Amino acid sequence: MASFLTLVSFYLFLFSTWLTTIFGIFSEQSPVSTYAKRIEKMTRLHFYFHDILDGTKPTAIRIVPPPNKSVGQFGTTYMIDDPLTEGPEKTSKLVGRAQGMYALASQHDSGLLMVINFAFLEGMYNGSALTILGRNPVLDMVREMPIVGGSGVFRFARGYALASTVSLSPKTGDAVVEYNVSVLHF
């Protein structure tokens, strides 16, 4: 019985590969084996994001100013390469970099559009990244943003990030934000 099932599975695999090849070279599909299901892991990460707009070495720079007839700062866009650290102090151990951009995307409140990769540099996550794409209402005590993907250890990742502002300088715009990330991945 087992050899019959193996033979049937082999022929289904060959037939499905043949069908996908004859109908287009640009894509290929493989049947999913029910024997090789992977178990997803839940990983929780805790780190601090340092957004530095002022000084001699800013980590966030404005690349698009607001249009002339803009409401407030609506449309302003920043490119970032912010340090991620174990603790809230700038001198705390560097665990990664937040690289990407954010823009003021709301005319009615302080809502940012975040397009950021958390690129990790430490331990088993070295060389891996998580991607955030979502809304960040920066004046809320706790903000939730989606994790939409990842690479390396975090391939096929999905989850969420909770952000809370630890400190914000009204004069310079510099901020330290605490992140608690929960992510499912293989």
Side-chain angles (χ1 to χ4, degrees), residues 47-52 57-60 80-99 118-119 121 175-177 179:
F47 51 84
Y48 293 84
F49 171 106
H50 298 264
D51 198 40
I52 305 161
K57 290 190 174 187
T59 62
I80 67 165
D81 185 10
D82 291 341
L84 302 175
T85 62
E86 275 187 349
E89 305 81 20
K90 283 183 187 181
T91 57
S92 185
K93 182 178 181 179
L94 183 71
V95 296
R97 311 256 349 147
Q99 298 171 327
F118 291 142
L121 306 168
V176 176
V177 180
Y179 273 86

Side-chain angles (χ1 to χ4, degrees), residues 44-48 143 160-164 178-182:
R44 296 188 198 287
L45 301 166
H46 179 252
F47 51 84
Y48 293 84
R143 288 94 64 195
Y160 65 94
L162 298 176
S164 317
E178 180 180 22
Y179 273 86
N180 286 291
V181 176
S182 296

Side-chain angles (χ1 to χ4, degrees), residues 1-178:
M1 180 70 177
S3 63
F4 174 73
L5 288 175
T6 304
L7 187 63
V8 168
S9 296
F10 176 73
Y11 281 118
L12 284 173
F13 173 76
L14 284 178
F15 183 69
S16 68
T17 304
W18 175 76
L19 277 178
T20 58
T21 305
I22 64 169
F23 291 121
I25 297 171
F26 72 94
S27 70
E28 182 178 315
Q29 296 177 347
S30 298
V32 177
S33 170
T34 55
Y35 313 122
K37 282 190 179 180
R38 293 192 207 168
I39 297 177
E40 288 186 312
K41 298 174 206 144
M42 169 67 81
T43 298
R44 296 188 198 287
L45 301 166
H46 179 252
F47 51 84
Y48 293 84
F49 171 106
H50 298 264
D51 198 40
I52 305 161
L53 296 151
D54 193 39
T56 57
K57 290 190 174 187
T59 62
I61 59 168
R62 187 172 73 174
I63 58 171
V64 179
N68 289 338
K69 296 184 182 192
S70 174
V71 175
Q73 293 292 308
F74 176 66
T76 304
T77 305
Y78 292 85
M79 185 65 65
I80 67 165
D81 185 10
D82 291 341
L84 302 175
T85 62
E86 275 187 349
E89 305 81 20
K90 283 183 187 181
T91 57
S92 185
K93 182 178 181 179
L94 183 71
V95 296
R97 311 256 349 147
Q99 298 171 327
M101 64 177 77
Y102 59 82
L104 283 93
S106 176
Q107 295 184 49
H108 309 287
D109 60 11
S110 295
L112 300 178
L113 167 64
M114 307 283 284
V115 183
I116 297 176
N117 287 312
F118 291 142
F120 297 102
L121 306 168
E122 187 61 33
M124 68 182 288
Y125 306 118
N126 185 17
S128 299
L130 289 171
T131 302
I132 285 184
L133 173 63
R135 185 171 192 276
N136 182 353
V138 295
L139 296 180
D140 290 0
M141 288 283 281
V142 177
R143 288 94 64 195
E144 181 178 332
M145 292 167 280
I147 301 292
V148 297
S151 63
V153 171
F154 297 117
R155 192 174 293 133
F156 292 114
R158 67 188 190 285
Y160 65 94
L162 298 176
S164 317
T165 302
V166 174
S167 66
L168 172 64
S169 169
K171 181 180 173 185
T172 64
D174 293 356
V176 176
V177 180
E178 180 180 22

